[in-house]
Amino acid sequence: LLAQDFSFLPLTHDKIDITKADSVNKALETLDYDLLLHLAGYTNVDKAETDKEQAHSVNVEATKNLFEQTQKKGKKFISKSV
């Protein structure tokens, strides 16, 4: 639908560990983009109660890592949480 207007460059978990700042910095430092659309999240609410560290890492630390690197590059950032 938007392919004529935008190019999407997916960053899959096998290419980047968004919970680790150094992985985010390495992946984004040479990538040319205008906007980062952050759609990842820990969405298993019941399991998040027992796996609080992982839920926090994915939902808080990862978002922080992506936002900070995006800001360093002067790019736009959108985060979508479910």
XYZ file of all heavy atoms in Angstrom:
650
model
N 0.821 -1.203 0.000
C 0.000 0.000 0.000
C 0.864 1.265 0.000
O 0.604 2.175 -0.735
C -0.933 -0.026 1.220
C -1.836 1.181 1.409
C -2.862 1.284 0.283
C -2.538 1.115 2.740
N 1.890 1.309 0.834
C 2.729 2.503 0.925
C 4.057 2.362 0.198
O 4.899 3.250 0.276
C 2.985 2.848 2.390
C 1.760 3.185 3.216
C 2.135 3.342 4.683
C 1.084 4.439 2.701
N 4.249 1.283 -0.486
C 5.538 0.996 -1.119
C 5.953 2.072 -2.121
O 7.141 2.278 -2.337
C 5.504 -0.365 -1.803
N 5.005 2.752 -2.727
C 5.344 3.799 -3.682
C 5.851 5.058 -2.989
O 6.587 5.836 -3.576
C 4.136 4.138 -4.552
C 3.686 2.988 -5.420
C 2.401 3.307 -6.160
O 1.825 4.370 -6.013
N 1.938 2.357 -6.961
N 5.463 5.257 -1.749
C 5.812 6.477 -1.029
C 6.937 6.300 -0.019
O 7.603 7.265 0.348
C 4.581 7.017 -0.290
C 3.450 7.350 -1.241
O 3.722 7.930 -2.308
O 2.296 7.015 -0.926
N 7.133 5.068 0.455
C 8.092 4.816 1.514
C 8.896 3.551 1.231
O 8.415 2.637 0.589
C 7.374 4.606 2.869
C 6.572 5.782 3.319
C 5.205 5.840 3.081
C 7.174 6.837 3.983
C 4.464 6.924 3.494
C 6.440 7.916 4.413
C 5.080 7.965 4.162
N 10.090 3.524 1.785
C 10.880 2.302 1.793
C 10.975 1.844 3.235
O 11.338 2.626 4.115
C 12.289 2.556 1.264
O 12.245 2.924 -0.084
N 10.630 0.602 3.486
C 10.688 0.040 4.823
C 11.918 -0.851 4.944
O 12.162 -1.696 4.086
C 9.419 -0.771 5.132
C 8.192 0.083 5.246
C 7.385 0.320 4.151
C 7.854 0.665 6.460
C 6.257 1.121 4.257
C 6.737 1.466 6.579
C 5.929 1.695 5.472
N 12.695 -0.647 5.988
C 13.890 -1.446 6.247
C 13.692 -2.172 7.570
O 13.946 -1.607 8.628
C 15.125 -0.545 6.330
C 15.386 0.363 5.138
C 16.473 1.376 5.464
C 15.765 -0.462 3.932
N 13.209 -3.402 7.523
C 12.958 -4.115 8.788
C 14.252 -4.475 9.501
O 15.226 -4.883 8.876
C 12.203 -5.364 8.346
C 12.602 -5.567 6.929
C 12.893 -4.205 6.357
N 14.247 -4.286 10.808
C 15.366 -4.703 11.654
C 14.857 -5.835 12.526
O 14.186 -5.604 13.526
C 15.860 -3.538 12.514
C 16.449 -2.362 11.759
C 16.758 -1.214 12.711
C 17.709 -2.793 11.030
N 15.153 -7.048 12.133
C 14.648 -8.216 12.846
C 15.558 -8.583 14.011
O 16.721 -8.169 14.063
C 14.513 -9.407 11.886
O 15.781 -9.645 11.276
C 13.469 -9.113 10.805
N 15.021 -9.343 14.951
C 15.777 -9.674 16.163
C 17.041 -10.478 15.897
O 17.935 -10.514 16.732
C 14.901 -10.367 17.203
C 14.311 -11.659 16.757
N 15.006 -12.827 16.752
C 13.077 -11.954 16.287
C 14.236 -13.796 16.302
N 13.062 -13.292 16.011
N 17.158 -11.090 14.728
C 18.408 -11.787 14.412
C 19.493 -10.811 13.945
O 20.663 -11.156 13.898
C 18.183 -12.885 13.369
C 17.646 -12.365 12.053
O 16.787 -11.457 12.077
O 18.060 -12.870 11.000
N 19.108 -9.556 13.654
C 20.064 -8.545 13.221
C 20.384 -7.518 14.306
O 21.402 -6.836 14.232
C 19.527 -7.817 11.993
C 19.419 -8.692 10.769
C 19.035 -7.874 9.561
C 19.185 -8.683 8.316
N 18.008 -9.222 7.765
N 19.512 -7.402 15.294
C 19.695 -6.393 16.322
C 19.036 -6.858 17.623
O 17.939 -7.412 17.609
C 19.097 -5.035 15.866
C 19.288 -3.945 16.920
C 17.653 -5.171 15.493
C 18.838 -2.568 16.461
N 19.731 -6.640 18.727
C 19.162 -6.903 20.046
C 18.831 -5.549 20.641
O 19.717 -4.849 21.158
C 20.140 -7.667 20.929
C 19.572 -7.989 22.307
O 18.487 -7.471 22.658
O 20.225 -8.755 23.043
N 17.583 -5.157 20.535
C 17.194 -3.809 20.946
C 17.291 -3.590 22.452
O 17.240 -2.455 22.914
C 15.792 -3.437 20.431
C 14.723 -4.378 20.969
C 15.784 -3.364 18.916
C 13.297 -3.981 20.615
N 17.466 -4.658 23.208
C 17.615 -4.511 24.659
C 19.042 -4.137 25.049
O 19.307 -3.839 26.206
C 17.201 -5.795 25.409
O 18.101 -6.847 25.091
C 15.771 -6.202 25.060
N 19.946 -4.130 24.093
C 21.356 -3.810 24.349
C 21.748 -2.563 23.553
O 21.690 -2.552 22.321
C 22.244 -4.981 23.967
C 21.912 -6.244 24.750
C 23.029 -7.227 24.716
C 22.765 -8.498 25.471
N 21.908 -8.465 26.603
N 22.149 -1.523 24.273
C 22.465 -0.237 23.648
C 23.543 -0.368 22.579
O 23.441 0.247 21.511
C 22.874 0.776 24.703
N 24.579 -1.177 22.830
C 25.655 -1.301 21.845
C 25.180 -1.944 20.555
O 25.615 -1.570 19.466
C 26.865 -2.043 22.424
C 26.546 -3.454 22.909
O 25.396 -3.717 23.306
O 27.463 -4.299 22.907
N 24.259 -2.884 20.647
C 23.694 -3.514 19.451
C 22.859 -2.501 18.651
O 22.943 -2.442 17.425
C 22.833 -4.713 19.839
O 22.248 -5.298 18.698
N 22.089 -1.705 19.360
C 21.272 -0.673 18.706
C 22.176 0.353 18.036
O 21.970 0.717 16.873
C 20.330 0.007 19.726
C 19.651 1.230 19.114
C 19.291 -0.987 20.228
N 23.176 0.828 18.764
C 24.090 1.827 18.208
C 24.784 1.309 16.961
O 24.868 2.015 15.954
C 25.116 2.242 19.255
C 24.491 2.949 20.432
O 23.351 3.411 20.371
N 25.215 3.018 21.528
N 25.258 0.072 17.014
C 25.948 -0.521 15.866
C 25.005 -0.655 14.662
O 25.384 -0.350 13.535
C 26.514 -1.884 16.247
C 27.318 -2.544 15.165
C 27.900 -3.863 15.625
C 28.653 -4.543 14.503
N 29.159 -5.853 14.894
N 23.785 -1.099 14.906
C 22.834 -1.317 13.811
C 22.365 -0.006 13.181
O 22.149 0.058 11.968
C 21.628 -2.103 14.319
N 22.213 1.034 13.991
C 21.640 2.273 13.475
C 22.669 3.304 13.025
O 22.327 4.219 12.274
C 20.723 2.909 14.524
C 19.487 2.108 14.923
C 18.632 2.917 15.888
C 18.677 1.685 13.714
N 23.921 3.162 13.471
C 24.898 4.207 13.183
C 25.150 4.404 11.689
O 25.388 5.534 11.250
C 26.205 3.966 13.930
C 26.991 2.780 13.455
C 28.209 2.509 14.333
O 28.501 3.323 15.216
O 28.848 1.470 14.133
N 25.084 3.364 10.897
C 25.344 3.504 9.462
C 24.073 3.404 8.616
O 24.142 3.550 7.404
C 26.335 2.423 8.985
O 25.784 1.136 9.252
C 27.674 2.567 9.685
N 22.960 3.180 9.264
C 21.697 3.046 8.539
C 21.153 4.424 8.185
O 21.103 5.322 9.030
C 20.689 2.295 9.414
C 19.409 1.812 8.754
C 19.721 0.801 7.656
C 18.509 1.173 9.795
N 20.756 4.615 6.939
C 20.184 5.882 6.502
C 18.663 5.760 6.556
O 18.069 4.958 5.840
C 20.651 6.205 5.082
C 20.154 7.563 4.622
O 19.909 8.442 5.476
O 19.995 7.739 3.396
N 18.045 6.540 7.421
C 16.586 6.494 7.580
C 16.098 7.867 8.006
O 16.860 8.703 8.490
C 16.182 5.436 8.604
C 16.697 5.684 10.004
C 15.900 6.309 10.948
C 17.980 5.301 10.381
C 16.371 6.545 12.229
C 18.447 5.534 11.657
C 17.648 6.152 12.581
O 18.113 6.390 13.846
N 14.814 8.114 7.809
C 14.199 9.373 8.225
C 13.408 9.202 9.510
O 13.327 10.112 10.325
C 13.261 9.900 7.136
C 14.005 10.225 5.856
O 15.041 10.901 5.938
O 13.559 9.793 4.782
N 12.802 8.036 9.681
C 11.923 7.784 10.812
C 12.084 6.344 11.265
O 12.154 5.440 10.438
C 10.464 8.022 10.370
C 9.399 7.739 11.398
C 8.389 8.872 11.404
C 8.692 6.442 11.089
N 12.165 6.155 12.568
C 12.227 4.811 13.119
C 10.866 4.501 13.736
O 10.395 5.236 14.602
C 13.322 4.690 14.184
C 13.564 3.242 14.620
C 15.049 2.976 14.725
C 12.880 2.931 15.918
N 10.248 3.455 13.267
C 8.951 3.008 13.770
C 9.198 1.796 14.652
O 9.523 0.719 14.165
C 8.034 2.658 12.597
C 6.617 2.228 12.907
C 5.878 3.289 13.716
C 5.871 1.951 11.609
N 9.066 1.993 15.952
C 9.349 0.945 16.946
C 8.053 0.215 17.283
O 7.152 0.773 17.904
C 9.959 1.597 18.181
C 10.123 0.707 19.367
N 10.482 -0.617 19.281
C 9.985 0.961 20.687
C 10.550 -1.139 20.502
N 10.243 -0.187 21.370
N 7.959 -1.048 16.863
C 6.745 -1.834 17.063
C 6.940 -3.023 17.992
O 5.985 -3.741 18.283
C 6.219 -2.334 15.708
C 5.923 -1.253 14.678
C 5.560 -1.875 13.337
C 4.813 -0.342 15.160
N 8.164 -3.244 18.442
C 8.442 -4.409 19.290
C 7.930 -4.170 20.703
O 7.886 -3.042 21.181
C 9.935 -4.688 19.325
N 7.556 -5.245 21.359
C 7.133 -5.125 22.745
C 6.854 -6.485 23.358
O 6.572 -7.455 22.656
N 6.953 -6.535 24.659
C 6.620 -7.742 25.413
C 5.135 -7.651 25.707
O 4.706 -6.821 26.503
C 7.437 -7.773 26.703
C 7.413 -9.103 27.416
C 8.499 -9.960 27.323
C 6.331 -9.500 28.183
C 8.504 -11.177 27.978
C 6.325 -10.714 28.846
C 7.410 -11.544 28.744
O 7.416 -12.757 29.390
N 4.348 -8.480 25.067
C 2.895 -8.315 25.129
C 2.160 -9.394 25.915
O 0.945 -9.314 26.063
C 2.302 -8.269 23.700
O 2.632 -9.478 23.024
C 2.849 -7.077 22.929
N 2.868 -10.379 26.418
C 2.214 -11.434 27.196
C 2.034 -10.930 28.636
O 2.906 -11.077 29.484
C 3.059 -12.712 27.169
C 2.367 -13.880 27.831
O 1.540 -13.710 28.725
N 2.725 -15.082 27.398
N 0.890 -10.327 28.888
C 0.639 -9.663 30.166
C 0.751 -10.627 31.338
O 1.378 -10.302 32.360
C -0.747 -8.977 30.157
C -1.056 -8.362 31.508
C -0.807 -7.929 29.056
N 0.172 -11.802 31.233
C 0.228 -12.762 32.331
C 1.665 -13.179 32.637
O 2.075 -13.219 33.797
C -0.619 -13.997 32.019
C -2.104 -13.671 31.964
O -2.522 -12.713 32.655
O -2.837 -14.361 31.237
N 2.432 -13.474 31.605
C 3.813 -13.903 31.812
C 4.685 -12.749 32.305
O 5.662 -12.965 33.033
C 4.391 -14.499 30.531
C 5.716 -15.178 30.762
C 6.180 -15.942 29.555
C 7.530 -16.582 29.852
N 8.136 -17.142 28.680
N 4.333 -11.539 31.941
C 5.108 -10.378 32.381
C 5.107 -10.245 33.897
O 6.037 -9.688 34.478
C 4.554 -9.111 31.744
N 4.081 -10.768 34.538
C 4.016 -10.724 35.996
C 5.110 -11.574 36.640
O 5.597 -11.258 37.714
C 2.643 -11.187 36.482
C 1.517 -10.233 36.158
C 1.681 -8.884 36.841
O 2.108 -8.845 38.014
O 1.398 -7.866 36.192
N 5.502 -12.651 35.971
C 6.546 -13.524 36.516
C 7.904 -13.288 35.852
O 8.926 -13.638 36.414
C 6.163 -15.014 36.362
O 5.942 -15.298 34.982
C 4.919 -15.331 37.171
N 7.896 -12.708 34.676
C 9.129 -12.447 33.930
C 9.338 -10.934 33.833
O 9.511 -10.372 32.748
C 9.042 -13.083 32.543
C 10.386 -13.217 31.865
O 11.413 -12.886 32.489
O 10.406 -13.654 30.698
N 9.308 -10.292 34.978
C 9.352 -8.827 35.028
C 10.624 -8.245 34.421
O 10.581 -7.208 33.760
C 9.194 -8.347 36.471
C 7.823 -8.621 37.028
C 7.705 -8.175 38.470
C 6.305 -8.544 38.977
N 6.092 -8.119 40.349
N 11.747 -8.905 34.643
C 13.009 -8.398 34.114
C 13.004 -8.358 32.588
O 13.403 -7.367 31.974
C 14.172 -9.251 34.615
C 15.526 -8.696 34.233
C 16.671 -9.497 34.833
O 16.612 -9.832 36.030
O 17.619 -9.782 34.085
N 12.549 -9.430 31.961
C 12.497 -9.475 30.492
C 11.474 -8.481 29.949
O 11.732 -7.795 28.964
C 12.182 -10.890 30.003
C 12.152 -11.032 28.499
C 13.505 -10.803 27.836
O 14.553 -10.890 28.455
N 13.478 -10.499 26.566
N 10.324 -8.393 30.590
C 9.296 -7.447 30.156
C 9.828 -6.017 30.237
O 9.628 -5.213 29.310
C 8.034 -7.608 30.998
N 10.507 -5.689 31.315
C 11.080 -4.354 31.472
C 12.170 -4.112 30.428
O 12.244 -3.031 29.827
C 11.653 -4.191 32.887
C 12.196 -2.834 33.147
N 13.500 -2.497 32.898
C 11.599 -1.721 33.635
C 13.700 -1.233 33.216
N 12.568 -0.735 33.669
N 12.991 -5.091 30.202
C 14.069 -4.967 29.237
C 13.533 -4.669 27.839
O 14.030 -3.779 27.143
C 14.891 -6.256 29.226
O 15.981 -6.139 28.365
N 12.504 -5.402 27.446
C 11.931 -5.228 26.102
C 11.100 -3.946 26.002
O 11.214 -3.201 25.027
C 11.081 -6.458 25.708
C 10.317 -6.200 24.424
C 11.968 -7.681 25.571
N 10.283 -3.687 26.994
C 9.359 -2.555 26.893
C 9.954 -1.213 27.305
O 9.509 -0.176 26.804
C 8.100 -2.819 27.722
C 7.258 -3.920 27.120
O 7.339 -4.207 25.930
N 6.458 -4.565 27.935
N 10.933 -1.222 28.190
C 11.487 0.045 28.674
C 12.894 0.274 28.116
O 13.144 1.275 27.442
C 11.501 0.091 30.217
C 12.141 1.372 30.715
C 10.086 -0.063 30.761
N 13.810 -0.627 28.413
C 15.194 -0.437 27.992
C 15.338 -0.385 26.471
O 16.080 0.444 25.936
C 16.099 -1.515 28.583
C 16.231 -1.442 30.087
C 16.776 -0.117 30.584
O 17.719 0.427 29.963
O 16.261 0.382 31.600
N 14.656 -1.283 25.783
C 14.753 -1.306 24.318
C 14.229 -0.004 23.719
O 14.850 0.566 22.812
C 13.979 -2.495 23.759
N 13.108 0.469 24.231
C 12.546 1.728 23.734
C 13.514 2.873 23.991
O 13.749 3.720 23.118
C 11.183 1.997 24.397
O 10.313 0.896 24.113
C 10.557 3.281 23.881
N 14.101 2.899 25.162
C 15.094 3.930 25.513
C 16.293 3.862 24.570
O 16.751 4.889 24.060
C 15.546 3.733 26.957
C 16.633 4.668 27.413
C 17.016 4.342 28.869
C 18.213 5.130 29.290
N 19.435 4.372 29.371
N 16.799 2.657 24.330
C 17.960 2.492 23.443
C 17.677 3.006 22.039
O 18.487 3.725 21.448
C 18.376 1.023 23.377
C 18.890 0.502 24.700
O 19.333 1.252 25.549
N 18.815 -0.809 24.869
N 16.535 2.620 21.502
C 16.171 3.050 20.149
C 15.944 4.558 20.096
O 16.398 5.235 19.170
C 14.915 2.308 19.690
C 15.092 0.818 19.429
C 13.742 0.129 19.324
C 15.920 0.590 18.170
N 15.248 5.095 21.084
C 14.970 6.532 21.111
C 16.260 7.339 21.202
O 16.447 8.313 20.466
C 14.044 6.863 22.284
C 13.739 8.332 22.389
C 12.850 8.924 21.517
C 14.354 9.113 23.351
C 12.578 10.278 21.593
C 14.089 10.467 23.448
C 13.195 11.056 22.568
N 17.148 6.954 22.099
C 18.383 7.712 22.279
C 19.242 7.721 21.023
O 19.780 8.765 20.639
C 19.174 7.165 23.466
C 18.556 7.541 24.797
C 19.303 6.985 25.995
O 20.221 6.150 25.827
O 18.953 7.396 27.121
N 19.371 6.582 20.370
C 20.186 6.533 19.152
C 19.522 7.332 18.035
O 20.193 8.013 17.259
C 20.430 5.088 18.712
C 21.306 4.938 17.496
C 22.728 5.474 17.682
O 23.210 5.662 18.784
N 23.397 5.739 16.586
N 18.205 7.271 17.962
C 17.475 8.037 16.951
C 17.660 9.532 17.184
O 17.866 10.298 16.241
C 15.979 7.659 16.988
O 15.856 6.250 16.749
C 15.190 8.384 15.927
N 17.607 9.951 18.437
C 17.812 11.360 18.772
C 19.226 11.821 18.444
O 19.422 12.935 17.957
C 17.509 11.603 20.255
C 16.046 11.440 20.609
C 15.167 12.422 19.856
O 15.215 13.612 20.105
N 14.382 11.930 18.921
N 20.216 10.970 18.704
C 21.606 11.309 18.382
C 21.771 11.608 16.895
O 22.579 12.444 16.508
C 22.553 10.171 18.762
C 22.827 10.055 20.225
C 23.792 8.892 20.482
C 23.884 8.555 21.939
N 24.693 7.354 22.184
N 21.007 10.890 16.080
C 21.101 11.072 14.629
C 20.172 12.169 14.124
O 20.168 12.479 12.944
C 20.779 9.748 13.921
C 21.830 8.683 14.138
C 21.559 7.454 13.310
C 21.755 7.760 11.857
N 22.229 6.695 11.029
N 19.366 12.747 15.018
C 18.445 13.804 14.626
C 17.296 13.292 13.784
O 16.769 14.012 12.932
N 16.892 12.051 14.024
C 15.819 11.441 13.244
C 14.510 11.403 14.049
O 14.519 11.598 15.255
C 16.205 10.003 12.846
C 17.506 9.909 12.095
C 17.456 10.615 10.761
C 18.762 10.416 10.006
N 18.735 10.989 8.689
N 13.432 11.110 13.374
C 12.132 11.014 14.025
C 11.934 9.601 14.585
O 12.448 8.632 14.050
C 11.029 11.343 13.049
C 11.038 12.814 12.629
C 9.936 13.084 11.644
C 9.804 14.536 11.288
N 10.977 15.230 10.920
N 11.139 9.508 15.648
C 10.912 8.241 16.346
C 9.435 8.116 16.679
O 8.845 9.035 17.246
C 11.745 8.227 17.633
C 11.576 6.983 18.470
C 12.310 5.841 18.224
C 10.674 6.961 19.536
C 12.171 4.715 18.995
C 10.528 5.836 20.316
C 11.269 4.714 20.051
N 8.849 6.971 16.333
C 7.471 6.657 16.707
C 7.490 5.284 17.368
O 8.044 4.334 16.826
C 6.520 6.633 15.493
C 6.426 8.013 14.867
C 5.134 6.140 15.899
C 5.621 8.054 13.577
N 6.876 5.212 18.532
C 6.767 3.934 19.250
C 5.296 3.585 19.370
O 4.491 4.411 19.806
C 7.393 4.056 20.639
O 7.270 2.838 21.340
N 4.952 2.377 18.999
C 3.573 1.899 19.085
C 3.524 0.791 20.120
O 4.196 -0.223 20.003
C 3.108 1.370 17.727
C 1.788 0.646 17.745
C 0.645 1.606 18.031
C -0.678 0.890 17.906
N -1.422 0.852 19.118
N 2.765 0.990 21.150
C 2.612 0.003 22.198
C 1.215 -0.591 22.127
O 0.243 0.123 21.935
C 2.836 0.659 23.561
O 2.663 -0.278 24.581
N 1.128 -1.889 22.312
C -0.176 -2.556 22.236
C -0.766 -2.668 23.615
O -0.147 -2.881 24.594
C -0.023 -3.959 21.619
C -1.371 -4.649 21.520
C 0.603 -3.848 20.255
